[in-house]
Amino acid sequence: MTADLIIRSDHIYSCAQGPFDLFIDGFVAVAGDMIQTVAAGEIPVEICGPGTKIIDARGQTVVPGLVDPHTHLVHGGSREKELALKLQGASYLDILKAGGGILSTVNATRNASKDELKEKAWRSLDQMLLHGTTTVEAKSGYGLDLNSEVKCLQVVQDLNCEHPVDIVSTYMGAHAIPVEYKNDPQGYMDFMLDEVMPYICAHQLAEFMDAFCEEGVFSPEQSRILLAAGSNMGFKLKIHADEIIPLQGAELAAELQAKSADHLLAASDEGMQAMKEAGTTAVLLPGTSFYLMLGKYAQARKMIDIGIRVALASDFNPGTCPCENLQTIMTFACFGMHMTPAEILPAMTINAAHAIDRSEIIGSLEPGKQADIIILNAPNWDYVIYHYGINHVDKVIKNGRVVVDNTQLVYQGGNV
Ligand SMILES: [Zn+2]
């Protein structure tokens, strides 16, 4: 069968087996929206037809499309005003107690129309795509009441249909206690369990469910009740675990067979061991550690040495990591957590795909997988991490179609 698209390059990192799986002087052939062949050597004549488009990426680097497995994509407003407060020493939990922080985003999200939220998130998705991200996970959790949560999840559903980036949807009502339940957290728990979760489940608005297990937010006991109920309803699970205070969130993630536990700065040794045994992916968010000026990062080196599957994500959100660019996150992963370039690439492709239960269809360049491919203006992968602070993405191929070309969006409906 002839290919529709063939990319020729001297540095193709398939991420199929082992961290790199590098093809020096080879090609990736795409038929329709799928990868047909990845191989070293010359392009066989029989796969070249009259309609075959050939991209010569010699001198450039070819890797799978990046996967961002943890974002809070849909939200109203922005929180740049908190930056000066933070610099004066206010902590995340201080700002939250003063009624700011996440609750100000909840107000802005509740007050925004569906169209406004969609337009704002669309712009963020464009930025992600321009920087090489081809699949993202997106959480609700800035609406908290039924209508606003449904509004945000519908925005995700619409964007998934209309924007080239694929989106995996997560319900995260357990992100904060809304003001109307300030003195009645149990009432908010019951509201989620009895009204919101069954509605979202019945209308298939989310595949995953997540909870912010943290002091002053949801206790491990509350998180266990919510997530176990979610699992029974058919949601796959994620947990914001051990971000600030050690609360045995990693242990809880393993116990509940969560697909991922995220943040993990304060994860215990026992928790890490339990995650390894349960096969729970660690999603690390070094951009958040940087932005919160915590002076510490999750122990990526230790987790990798233990044998935990480590993924990286942006945590894109208005309060603690207003950054869509995974290449910036790579910088923090390398210089903050001491991950090597050979560890960072799988953490942003195949391991990230595991964290959203998509490892069978994306995350590596293998025959039969979705043709999500990026071409970088760099001679090899190490160079991408080394030369930090710029966007290396030249082209993005999503589902076999070129959607970013010569660093510009070229998909229909984009800023062509
Ligand atoms: Zn988060």
Side-chain angles (χ1 to χ4, degrees):
M1 192 171 103
T2 58
D4 296 306
L5 171 70
I6 298 174
I7 303 160
R8 183 175 185 189
S9 174
D10 38 27
H11 281 81
I12 299 167
Y13 299 81
S14 75
C15 298
Q17 287 152 4
F20 263 8
D21 210 12
L22 170 64
F23 294 85
I24 302 275
D25 265 328
F27 65 94
V28 183
V30 173
D33 56 1
M34 309 277 260
I35 293 170
Q36 187 184 44
T37 321
V38 185
E42 291 300 311
I43 301 166
V45 282
E46 61 270 23
I47 66 166
C48 296
T52 304
K53 176 185 164 76
I54 296 187
I55 296 175
D56 186 352
R58 283 175 294 184
Q60 295 182 304
T61 293
V62 177
V63 300
L66 304 179
V67 178
D68 192 342
H70 182 140
T71 83
H72 303 256
L73 175 70
V74 178
H75 57 262
S78 58
R79 308 235 295 265
E80 64 277 18
K81 295 277 189 302
E82 285 170 22
L83 192 50
L85 289 175
K86 272 156 40 71
L87 290 166
Q88 287 162 16
S91 72
Y92 177 90
L93 295 179
D94 288 339
I95 292 172
L96 188 62
K97 265 186 226 149
I102 192 169
L103 295 175
S104 64
T105 300
V106 171
N107 281 335
T109 305
R110 286 179 174 180
N111 291 332
S113 71
K114 200 176 149 190
D115 284 348
E116 286 165 343
L117 292 171
K118 185 174 163 186
E119 197 194 313
K120 184 171 158 64
W122 189 290
R123 286 198 299 271
S124 288
L125 286 174
D126 277 349
Q127 283 303 321
M128 290 172 174
L129 195 60
L130 283 165
H131 291 90
T133 303
T134 48
T135 301
V136 301
E137 182 259 13
K139 305 173 196 299
S140 70
Y142 288 119
L144 305 180
D145 64 45
L146 178 62
N147 286 345
S148 305
E149 285 294 287
V150 168
K151 175 175 71 178
C152 292
L153 291 170
Q154 283 173 343
V155 167
V156 168
Q157 207 169 43
D158 288 357
L159 289 167
N160 187 39
C161 292
E162 295 168 30
H163 195 279
V165 172
D166 281 326
I167 315 179
V168 172
S169 180
T170 298
Y171 166 61
M172 195 177 174
H175 195 195
I177 309 276
V179 276
E180 59 272 24
Y181 285 100
K182 197 174 164 204
N183 300 315
D184 182 18
Q186 185 56 46
Y188 184 54
M189 294 271 296
D190 294 341
F191 167 68
M192 282 190 280
L193 288 162
D194 299 340
E195 294 183 48
V196 189
M197 288 161 58
Y199 184 94
I200 287 167
C201 189
H203 292 80
Q204 298 185 325
L205 285 167
E207 177 178 339
F208 279 85
M209 190 179 145
D210 196 342
F212 192 4
C213 179
E214 185 58 67
E215 197 169 279
V217 195
F218 292 89
S219 69
E221 294 71 32
Q222 290 170 322
S223 302
R224 180 185 284 107
I225 291 167
L226 287 168
L227 292 167
S231 178
N232 284 336
M233 290 182 198
F235 291 103
K236 298 168 191 169
L237 304 181
K238 294 181 162 290
I239 308 184
H240 280 57
D242 299 323
E243 178 180 359
I244 304 167
I245 312 280
L247 287 179
Q248 302 194 320
E251 287 88 335
L252 181 61
E255 175 196 322
L256 294 172
Q257 300 276 307
K259 292 285 174 205
S260 75
D262 302 31
H263 287 293
L264 300 170
L265 273 74
S268 71
D269 288 354
E270 295 75 24
M272 291 185 210
Q273 199 58 43
M275 281 178 59
K276 187 206 161 186
E277 277 153 31
T280 301
T281 300
V283 175
L284 307 184
L285 309 157
T288 308
S289 307
F290 168 80
Y291 188 84
L292 289 173
M293 295 178 271
L294 296 176
K296 73 170 197 170
Y297 290 86
Q299 298 184 70
R301 288 253 52 83
K302 193 173 197 175
M303 293 181 200
I304 291 167
D305 291 345
I306 288 174
I308 296 174
R309 190 186 298 115
V310 171
L312 289 161
S314 66
D315 197 15
F316 172 62
N317 77 80
T320 63
C321 195
C323 173
E324 294 96 339
N325 178 359
L326 283 179
Q327 291 169 71
T328 302
I329 304 303
M330 292 175 196
T331 303
F332 303 138
C334 179
F335 296 96
M337 301 198 297
H338 301 169
M339 288 175 71
T340 65
E343 290 162 347
I344 290 171
L345 182 59
M348 289 199 162
T349 53
I350 188 67
N351 293 358
H354 273 285
I356 52 171
D357 203 23
R358 292 288 189 281
S359 60
E360 298 294 314
I361 53 169
I362 55 169
S364 59
L365 304 179
E366 290 180 81
K369 278 200 171 180
Q370 214 165 278
D372 294 356
I373 305 162
I374 59 178
I375 302 174
L376 300 147
N377 275 324
N380 56 66
W381 175 256
D382 291 39
Y383 187 91
V384 174
I385 312 295
Y386 153 78
H387 187 167
Y388 71 97
I390 63 159
N391 183 11
H392 291 277
V393 171
D394 176 43
K395 290 182 176 57
V396 179
I397 291 102
K398 176 65 189 168
N399 283 316
R401 287 189 306 139
V402 177
V403 290
V404 172
D405 194 9
N406 195 20
T407 77
Q408 304 295 314
L409 295 167
V410 292
Y411 70 85
Q412 227 182 358
N415 300 327
V416 285

